[in-house]
Amino acid sequence: MPTPAERKALLFFSVVLVLGASTRAYRSLHSQSPADVGAQSALERQINAADSARRAGMRKSKRGKQKAPPKPVGPLDLDVADEKEIEALRYIGPTLAKRIVADRDSFGPFGSMDGLRRVKGIGSSMVAKLDSAVTFSLVPRPTNRVISRRSELPKARGKPHRRD
């Protein structure tokens, strides 16, 4: 419960608030200065100009309807393609295209589909879908991986070489 001094302070602030609001309301309703008349006429001119532009068909394009990027003709080289070209590929949206370009700029060219897998969001199913639509022209950047165990060495394919 407020003390008597707090009640007096709340009453004072309430009176000041009501007087200030009523003064503002009275001034805004009963005063028409020349500056307000000029501003009103300028506003009318702007409204008329906007209406005439609308009637003439000079509307701004809607944001929802964006032109789709052109579809690539042949296989797209992911080592040199820009973001819009990558986005034109099927199954790749703007976010994934940005990730692909950012990864390539940070870590160097992909060089192969295995290099493309390092991008977040591209797994084995995406690689299978993109296999016929993309190509790679540059040599991938070598990895700085240290092989500490013999078991980590890549295994040879085919028949081993025999010494005679």
Side-chain angles (χ1 to χ4, degrees), residues 1-163:
M1 193 158 242
T3 63
E6 290 173 340
R7 277 191 229 135
K8 286 181 185 177
L10 287 173
L11 179 66
F12 174 75
F13 285 127
S14 301
V15 170
V16 170
L17 182 69
V18 169
L19 283 175
S22 61
T23 304
R24 275 187 168 220
Y26 178 79
R27 284 186 180 172
S28 67
L29 292 175
H30 294 329
S31 69
Q32 188 80 16
S33 66
D36 292 338
V37 173
Q40 185 69 24
S41 65
L43 181 62
E44 290 295 328
R45 284 194 304 269
Q46 287 179 349
I47 291 171
N48 290 336
D51 287 342
S52 66
R54 210 173 279 129
R55 283 189 296 265
M58 297 172 47
R59 295 181 190 166
K60 290 183 179 179
S61 64
K62 295 182 180 179
R63 288 185 181 207
K65 292 187 176 182
Q66 293 180 350
K67 200 173 192 181
K71 298 292 179 191
V73 179
L76 181 66
D77 187 359
L78 286 182
D79 287 338
V80 294
D82 66 342
E83 191 175 313
K84 291 291 181 190
E85 292 172 337
I86 296 172
E87 188 179 334
L89 288 171
R90 192 171 183 191
Y91 310 111
I92 294 185
T95 305
L96 189 55
K98 285 179 187 174
R99 269 193 240 141
I100 290 171
V101 170
D103 187 279
R104 183 184 65 207
D105 292 344
S106 298
F107 301 112
F110 300 110
S112 67
M113 287 303 236
D114 290 331
L116 184 62
R117 284 187 189 195
R118 70 182 183 219
V119 178
K120 182 181 178 185
I122 296 184
S124 57
S125 63
M126 180 65 78
V127 167
K129 291 175 185 176
L130 294 176
D131 192 28
S132 62
V134 297
T135 185
F136 303 92
S137 64
L138 300 176
V139 177
R141 181 176 168 181
T143 59
N144 292 333
R145 192 171 145 211
V146 176
I147 300 176
S148 60
R149 296 185 193 126
R150 189 167 181 84
S151 62
E152 293 180 7
L153 289 171
K155 294 183 180 175
R157 295 186 184 195
K159 295 180 181 179
H161 179 68
R162 290 186 154 188
R163 288 188 182 178

